Amino acid sequence: MHIAILTFEGYNELDSLIALGVLNRIKTDDWRVTIATPAPKVTSMNGVVIEQMSTLEEACAADAVIVGSGIATREVVEDPAIMNVLRGLDPSRQLIAAQCSGALVLAKLGLLDGIPACTDLTTKPWVVAAGVEVLDQPFYAKDTIATAGGCLASHYLAAWIIARLQGNDAAEGALHYVAPVGEKEEYIERAWRNITPYLPVPTPALV
């Protein structure tokens, strides 16, 4: 199981690395989480250099993808080399999620047609201009596509992916590990309140 976090030049550390940390709470042999970049190294908005763990092409073949955010997302969506590769993303066979300005990437790829999105306040007008309704909430998902708005909503995307691929108990365990001490139950309850409405309804067991 491969989960790729698309991380571009000027990336937001909170968006990519919080998701990376939460997703890596799953400790099974077939679970792999990578930072997927368009170049061997990318530098964050605050100067943190990170090395490529997987390519964009590999991300397009992953089981789940998070499109990270950053200060150069408008440049990303204007880059034909990057966008041509990302047209390989396919919600019919992948979970596809976007954090903050990552929603603009999904909008430009046509993956949000008829689907409202969550994003950060800076990116909102660009996503609206791309023809997508922006919701005033931290998380939204429809079928295999999810978006989150605000850096500290990135754990919602990670928990949604874990719940979809490994089950709710695994997602709750990951959230419990990262939640602040003394606030774990409250933290997890709030996360489920945001995520649960967008999870598939369990199929009743046959008697």
Side-chain angles (χ1 to χ4, degrees), residues 4-87:
I5 303 170
L6 303 189
T7 303
F8 304 104
E9 191 69 20
Y11 73 92
N12 185 316
E13 304 93 337
L14 295 175
D15 292 342
S16 288
L17 301 183
I18 288 177
L20 179 75
V22 175
L23 287 164
N24 269 315
R25 295 312 307 161
I26 303 301
K27 302 297 184 182
T28 58
D29 292 340
D30 64 344
W31 186 265
R32 182 168 68 106
V33 186
T34 65
I35 297 292
T37 65
K41 294 181 180 180
V42 291
T43 303
S44 78
M45 59 195 295
N46 294 304
V48 178
V49 178
I50 194 167
E51 293 187 357
Q52 181 182 69
M53 298 172 67
S54 64
T55 65
L56 299 186
E57 289 83 359
E58 289 174 308
C60 289
D63 299 280
V65 177
I66 294 177
V67 183
S69 184
I71 59 172
T73 305
R74 284 189 292 178
E75 287 81 353
V76 168
V77 298
E78 296 297 328
D79 187 325
I82 291 176
M83 295 300 282
N84 285 339
V85 173
L86 296 185
R87 287 188 179 90

Side-chain angles (χ1 to χ4, degrees), residues 13-189:
E13 304 93 337
L14 295 175
D15 292 342
S16 288
L17 301 183
I18 288 177
L20 179 75
V22 175
L23 287 164
N24 269 315
R25 295 312 307 161
I26 303 301
K27 302 297 184 182
T28 58
D29 292 340
D30 64 344
W31 186 265
R32 182 168 68 106
V33 186
T34 65
I35 297 292
T37 65
K41 294 181 180 180
V42 291
T43 303
S44 78
M45 59 195 295
N46 294 304
V48 178
V49 178
I50 194 167
E51 293 187 357
Q52 181 182 69
M53 298 172 67
S54 64
T55 65
L56 299 186
E57 289 83 359
E58 289 174 308
C60 289
D63 299 280
V65 177
I66 294 177
V67 183
S69 184
I71 59 172
T73 305
R74 284 189 292 178
E75 287 81 353
V76 168
V77 298
E78 296 297 328
D79 187 325
I82 291 176
M83 295 300 282
N84 285 339
V85 173
L86 296 185
R87 287 188 179 90
L89 295 174
D90 184 354
S92 72
R93 58 177 176 78
Q94 298 173 294
L95 298 178
I96 299 176
Q99 175 67 37
C100 289
S101 65
L104 182 62
V105 176
L106 297 192
K108 293 294 187 178
L109 290 171
L111 296 176
L112 295 178
D113 289 350
I115 301 175
C118 301
T119 191
D120 63 279
L121 298 180
T122 300
T123 307
K124 178 179 178 178
W126 309 331
V127 176
V128 170
V132 176
E133 177 190 0
V134 173
L135 303 173
D136 185 23
Q137 61 191 61
F139 178 83
Y140 179 84
K142 182 177 181 182
D143 300 325
T144 58
I145 294 179
T147 52
C151 300
L152 296 182
S154 56
H155 67 292
Y156 294 155
L157 287 184
W160 176 78
I161 287 174
I162 295 171
R164 292 293 305 265
L165 297 180
Q166 294 286 321
N168 290 6
D169 288 347
E172 183 162 330
L175 289 171
H176 187 274
Y177 182 87
V178 302
V181 172
E183 299 178 351
K184 291 186 181 294
E185 288 73 20
E186 176 187 354
Y187 195 90
I188 292 168
E189 180 183 352

